[in-house]
Amino acid sequence: MVKRVTGKDVAARAGVTAATVSYVLSGTAKRSVSKETRERVLLAARELGYVPDKTAKSLRRRETKTIGVAIDKNLATPRYALALQGMSQTASSMGYRLLLCHTGSGENGMADYLNVFLERQVDGVIYVGADNVGPNQDDIETVERDGIPFVALDCQLNNPSLGSVDFDYRAGAREATSLLISKRSGRVAYIRPAFESRQESLREQGVIDACRDAGIEPPLTIVAPIGAEALTSFDRDPYDDHVGEPSSAHARLIELPLSRLVNDGDLIVCSWAGWSGIVRVATGFTLSLYADLANDLYSAFSANCYCVMPNYQAGKACVEQLVRQINGGPAAAKLLPIPAAQSYLLHLHDN
Amino acid sequence: MVKRVTGKDVAARAGVTAATVSYVLSGTAKRSVSKETRERVLLAARELGYVPDKTAKSLRRRETKTIGVAIDKNLATPRYALALQGMSQTASSMGYRLLLCHTGSGENGMADYLNVFLERQVDGVIYVGADNVGPNQDDIETVERDGIPFVALDCQLNNPSLGSVDFDYRAGAREATSLLISKRSGRVAYIRPAFESRQESLREQGVIDACRDAGIEPPLTIVAPIGAEALTSFDRDPYDDHVGEPSSAHARLIELPLSRLVNDGDLIVCSWAGWSGIVRVATGFTLSLYADLANDLYSAFSANCYCVMPNYQAGKACVEQLVRQINGGPAAAKLLPIPAAQSYLLHLHDN
DNA sequence: CTGAAAGCGCTTACAG
DNA sequence: CTGAAAGCGCTTACAG
């Protein structure tokens, strides 16, 4: 391993001092440098292959241009991966990088994602978290007390002092269900998971809203045996998921006696992305129409309508808002609309 | 913003020097500290809420305990998200964090993922990349010259001086196809994308191997109009993917006149995860059996057999190998087997 | 327009 | 067993 080239080496070669090198390369226009000196420095830097040490810079400037992302989600669910991608690309375009953190607590009992801020490794934190509940009360107090730039995605915190990006689940569910109702008359059956969360309540309420709007009876609600753990990360190797008995939310849905619970011709609304495909296959119904209250690649093949989750946009919004906070701006709350769409592919078959 | 608590503050309170604080808290057993002093230091640190500054530590120790991950993949494809998850959890358990990098080149013309190493922000780099081709020749030379700890995932580099983790596509395809053939007699039809890569060649060869093994005619190969760009990241907002004309690889598959290209009863082998579901729906065939040469959540519903891609394991292997390199070990090449499995769910229906 | 110097907060040989 | 000091590589007021 060769000796590292430092700013001092460049300075020596250019016949200037390290300060001048810094002013030329970091380009803070606090000092003007003569064109001739600047050229000499740039040449020397290029000749020596100088790459400034960011750890030294961070120590001195007290900023890292890095954002911590607390995400323990099951990334095999494209929703979260897309949000992460939105964050990554936006951060990159704004001169930031993403550091992945877990939500668990480390050695000193401090939550990992807060610790990483206090250790000065990141300038702010985006919390996606392991469930849809959000950070605990202790962590929230630490964030407020230490003034940590902080944005929570899809946590429904309702805390104005914390930054947040949320989805308008209720309006989205209402719109998608209404779209389904507009295509065909029939009873609405709603399939949702077995656990309670603010998100699930909002979606269910939106389905009820749509039935009321249309003047039809409230939905028949079917509770699938799927717990909140389906949302979180793998505690075990997901490799195992695919060789033995299926344990994913999708697989457990098929255990229901679906063709006894719903009738052919029902308008079947599913809380999660991709469920309608499973119900369609499992029941073999030919008259029913389907809606997914979220979407993934497969919704286009099995759901007649679905909610278009703006996951990438949400990731982008998180970064934009966090950077505003890092630069001294206030925390804000953003609520993203969820448009409803018809399946382009199923629509093609109609013609 | 209150003044930051430093090691010196803790030292003052404990009546010792900053050196002692460092020895107590960083615990490098290079110096033994009396039990009584240690307690005083720990108490003072707790009382003051001391969290050591990692940027200072990194500058001094010349290590960051951070791994750069160059990943421009479409994370909506669970394969890559799972690999990332394997990396993240493994890194965490080994005391490392993950910094997301892009593969593009930044300001100084240096590839982003190499730059981040030269800037001393990471101790090593895992390359997943934007396509299955791997880093370019210039980058490889930089890695070798500067001795950058480096592992390439699924790049088929065949360069012994670089660390690598690859999949045994050929054997995997052979095994899955053989499993399909063992279930029913019939012609093998193989559906693959329109671009060439080492990975695609290996899979195709594996399918051919299986036909030869079984003494049946070589597969009928069908080329789907899907280009390599389907593997890479979004240049545009993927939000658009779901509101207009479908542009994903899955959607374009359905544009083929599949029911004219294959016959009901064919053994249909698909190169990518999830394709068999689309072919099954698009053709409506009742006699054919299907295999996916990769798997996702939906393969269990539509493919009779599939390859179980050890993505999580691969991510884990990358981190383990990289850390070994960071600690001075040599680069190694790891080839992961791809087991074939039968769909548990479709198997249930047989009974 | 440029130089000399202090300092960010740690770690770690070097003395005692 | 502990203290005093140097130094990691930058940035940035302060003089000139």
Side-chain angles (χ1 to χ4, degrees):
Chain A
M1 197 71 100
V2 281
K3 193 204 160 295
R4 188 177 171 80
V5 176
T6 75
K8 233 194 298 198
D9 299 329
V10 176
R13 185 174 187 105
V16 295
T17 184
T20 305
V21 171
S22 173
Y23 281 114
V24 169
L25 295 175
S26 292
T28 30
K30 288 242 182 158
R31 176 198 282 215
S32 51
V33 179
S34 75
K35 184 163 181 194
E36 194 228 357
T37 308
R38 141 170 280 108
E39 309 267 291
R40 270 212 324 279
V41 169
L42 289 173
L43 180 65
R46 213 174 314 122
E47 288 175 340
L48 295 176
Y50 173 55
V51 182
D53 186 322
K54 279 257 175 86
T55 61
K57 180 173 185 171
S58 293
L59 175 59
R60 182 59 227 240
R61 306 256 347 242
R62 341 204 94 237
E63 67 176 16
T64 57
K65 291 287 179 188
T66 301
I67 291 170
V69 179
I71 181 164
D72 277 348
K73 295 288 190 182
N74 180 344
L75 290 179
T77 309
R79 273 198 58 182
Y80 306 113
L82 279 173
L84 187 60
Q85 195 142 344
M87 291 178 207
S88 179
Q89 295 195 346
T90 308
S92 178
S93 76
M94 299 179 83
Y96 283 81
R97 288 215 170 85
L98 258 36
L99 188 71
L100 261 36
C101 307
H102 291 262
T103 53
S105 55
E107 325 102 63
N108 56 7
M110 173 71 69
D112 195 44
Y113 57 97
L114 298 181
N115 209 42
V116 79
F117 176 86
L118 297 173
E119 287 170 330
R120 281 241 162 78
Q121 293 195 97
V122 302
D123 299 336
V125 174
I126 295 173
Y127 185 94
V128 187
D131 47 42
N132 288 20
V133 172
N136 67 42
Q137 198 53 43
D138 278 2
D139 290 346
I140 289 177
E141 277 164 24
T142 304
V143 168
E144 292 176 330
R145 178 163 29 79
D146 291 5
I148 304 179
F150 186 89
V151 176
L153 171 59
D154 195 21
C155 289
Q156 307 273 346
L157 288 182
N158 290 325
N159 182 336
S161 74
L162 298 182
S164 62
V165 173
D166 284 290
F167 300 105
D168 192 350
Y169 286 115
R170 184 167 175 173
R174 183 179 192 164
E175 192 179 328
T177 306
S178 295
L179 185 54
L180 196 64
I181 292 173
S182 76
K183 294 172 86 77
R184 186 187 183 299
S185 66
R187 181 178 69 168
V188 172
Y190 179 55
I191 306 181
R192 50 157 292 172
F195 63 91
E196 285 300 336
S197 75
R198 185 118 176 79
Q199 286 84 346
E200 290 300 337
S201 303
L202 289 168
R203 280 195 287 266
E204 182 160 18
Q205 196 56 53
V207 176
I208 294 170
D209 291 342
C211 292
R212 193 182 338 94
D213 292 345
I216 65 176
E217 58 179 324
L220 167 72
T221 297
I222 295 163
V223 178
I226 293 160
E229 76 285 350
L231 291 166
T232 67
S233 70
F234 305 105
D235 285 330
R236 62 198 182 95
D237 188 339
Y239 173 81
D240 295 334
D241 274 3
H242 299 291
V243 291
E245 187 163 345
S247 62
S248 73
H250 293 77
R252 255 176 290 146
L253 190 58
I254 216 169
E255 294 171 6
L256 285 175
L258 285 164
S259 48
R260 288 212 305 274
L261 294 170
V262 287
N263 300 327
D264 197 358
D266 285 348
L267 301 172
I268 299 177
V269 179
C270 301
S271 182
W272 288 20
W275 283 10
S276 62
I278 295 161
V279 177
R280 195 186 272 278
V281 168
T283 60
F285 287 167
T286 57
L287 301 174
S288 283
L289 296 180
Y290 297 84
D292 282 343
L293 296 190
N295 73 301
D296 65 10
L297 287 171
Y298 293 85
S299 296
F301 297 99
S302 291
N304 302 80
C305 310
Y306 48 86
C307 287
V308 183
M309 294 293 298
N311 298 303
Y312 184 95
Q313 295 289 0
K316 185 174 174 182
C318 285
V319 170
E320 287 170 348
Q321 187 183 146
L322 188 71
V323 171
R324 243 176 273 129
Q325 284 185 43
I326 290 171
N327 293 331
K334 184 157 191 165
L335 187 67
L336 294 174
I338 307 176
Q342 297 185 51
S343 166
Y344 174 84
L345 290 169
L346 293 183
H347 190 63
L348 270 185
H349 280 285
D350 293 344
N351 302 341
Chain B
M1 197 73 100
V2 282
K3 194 202 160 297
R4 190 178 169 81
V5 176
T6 74
K8 234 198 289 198
D9 299 329
V10 175
R13 184 175 187 104
V16 296
T17 186
T20 306
V21 171
S22 174
Y23 281 114
V24 169
L25 294 175
S26 292
T28 30
K30 288 241 180 153
R31 176 200 280 214
S32 50
V33 179
S34 75
K35 185 166 181 194
E36 194 228 357
T37 307
R38 143 172 277 106
E39 308 267 292
R40 267 210 327 278
V41 168
L42 289 174
L43 180 65
R46 214 174 315 123
E47 288 175 339
L48 295 176
Y50 174 55
V51 183
D53 185 323
K54 279 254 174 89
T55 61
K57 180 172 183 171
S58 293
L59 174 60
R60 182 60 227 242
R61 306 251 354 237
R62 342 202 96 238
E63 67 177 13
T64 57
K65 291 289 181 185
T66 301
I67 292 170
V69 179
I71 180 164
D72 278 346
K73 295 288 191 183
N74 181 345
L75 291 179
T77 309
R79 272 197 59 182
Y80 305 114
L82 279 173
L84 187 60
Q85 194 142 347
M87 291 178 205
S88 178
Q89 295 195 346
T90 309
S92 177
S93 77
M94 299 178 84
Y96 283 82
R97 288 217 170 83
L98 259 35
L99 187 72
L100 261 36
C101 307
H102 291 261
T103 53
S105 54
E107 326 103 62
N108 57 6
M110 173 72 68
D112 194 45
Y113 57 96
L114 299 180
N115 209 42
V116 79
F117 176 85
L118 297 174
E119 289 172 330
R120 282 240 162 80
Q121 293 194 98
V122 303
D123 299 337
V125 174
I126 295 172
Y127 185 95
V128 187
D131 47 40
N132 289 19
V133 172
N136 68 42
Q137 199 53 43
D138 278 2
D139 291 346
I140 289 175
E141 277 164 25
T142 304
V143 168
E144 290 176 329
R145 177 165 29 81
D146 291 4
I148 303 180
F150 186 90
V151 176
L153 172 59
D154 194 22
C155 290
Q156 306 273 346
L157 288 181
N158 290 324
N159 182 336
S161 74
L162 298 183
S164 62
V165 173
D166 284 291
F167 300 105
D168 193 350
Y169 287 114
R170 184 167 177 171
R174 182 179 193 162
E175 192 179 330
T177 307
S178 295
L179 185 53
L180 196 64
I181 292 172
S182 77
K183 294 173 85 75
R184 189 187 179 296
S185 67
R187 179 178 71 166
V188 171
Y190 178 57
I191 306 180
R192 50 157 291 171
F195 63 93
E196 285 300 336
S197 75
R198 186 118 175 77
Q199 286 85 345
E200 289 299 336
S201 303
L202 289 168
R203 279 196 288 265
E204 183 159 17
Q205 197 55 53
V207 177
I208 294 169
D209 291 343
C211 291
R212 193 183 337 94
D213 291 346
I216 64 177
E217 57 179 324
L220 167 72
T221 296
I222 295 163
V223 179
I226 292 161
E229 76 284 352
L231 291 166
T232 66
S233 70
F234 305 104
D235 286 330
R236 64 198 178 93
D237 187 340
Y239 174 80
D240 296 334
D241 273 4
H242 298 292
V243 291
E245 188 163 345
S247 64
S248 72
H250 292 78
R252 255 176 289 147
L253 189 58
I254 217 170
E255 295 170 8
L256 286 174
L258 285 164
S259 47
R260 289 212 304 274
L261 294 169
V262 288
N263 300 328
D264 196 0
D266 284 349
L267 301 172
I268 299 177
V269 179
C270 301
S271 182
W272 287 20
W275 284 10
S276 62
I278 294 161
V279 177
R280 193 186 275 276
V281 169
T283 60
F285 288 168
T286 57
L287 300 174
S288 282
L289 297 181
Y290 297 85
D292 283 342
L293 296 190
N295 72 301
D296 64 9
L297 285 172
Y298 293 86
S299 295
F301 297 99
S302 292
N304 302 81
C305 311
Y306 48 86
C307 287
V308 183
M309 294 293 298
N311 298 304
Y312 184 96
Q313 294 289 358
K316 185 175 173 178
C318 285
V319 169
E320 287 170 347
Q321 188 184 143
L322 188 70
V323 170
R324 242 176 274 127
Q325 284 186 43
I326 289 171
N327 294 331
K334 183 154 192 166
L335 187 66
L336 294 175
I338 305 178
Q342 298 185 49
S343 166
Y344 174 83
L345 290 170
L346 293 182
H347 191 62
L348 271 185
H349 280 286
D350 294 344
N351 300 343

